[in-house]
Amino acid sequence: MAYKRYHLPEGFILGAAASAWQTEGWSGKKNYQDSFMDLWYKSNPELWYNGYGPAIATDFYNRYHEDVKLMKEIGINAYRTSILQKKN
């Protein structure tokens, strides 16, 4: 199978984004802190790929060096994420 190559204009910003929910998982959350997505997963875990849900997430906090390297390899030159501050 032949792949067609595309060339982006010089200065083109190719980016990716992830939310805190996607990257942080359930670490340290109490039951009453469940979001809509948490509740959806708990009530329908079979709908999620291999049962993986927000408890696992991407673990970006611990794997960001590896993730950034992969983004560079595929040509991503911008990344946006959100960070949640946990309240005591």
Side-chain angles (χ1 to χ4, degrees):
M1 173 187 242
Y3 293 98
K4 186 173 183 176
R5 286 204 172 268
Y6 292 94
H7 297 280
L8 300 173
E10 190 172 325
F12 187 86
I13 297 173
L14 180 63
S19 69
W21 182 85
Q22 293 169 304
T23 60
E24 293 176 1
W26 272 344
S27 179
K29 280 177 103 176
K30 295 171 181 54
N31 284 333
Y32 64 86
Q33 295 174 315
D34 285 347
S35 69
F36 172 77
M37 296 299 285
D38 297 329
L39 296 172
W40 178 34
Y41 173 73
K42 285 181 177 182
S43 64
N44 298 288
E46 72 282 356
L47 298 176
W48 298 66
Y49 176 76
N50 285 341
Y52 294 148
I56 296 170
T58 63
D59 196 21
F60 184 75
Y61 181 83
N62 294 304
R63 296 176 52 178
Y64 72 92
H65 288 287
E66 176 186 351
D67 292 342
V68 169
K69 181 180 175 193
L70 291 170
M71 286 187 257
K72 284 182 176 182
E73 285 178 15
I74 64 171
I76 291 175
N77 54 16
Y79 178 73
R80 183 209 52 85
T81 191
S82 58
I83 299 170
L84 290 177
Q85 178 180 0
K86 294 182 180 181
K87 296 180 181 179
N88 295 335

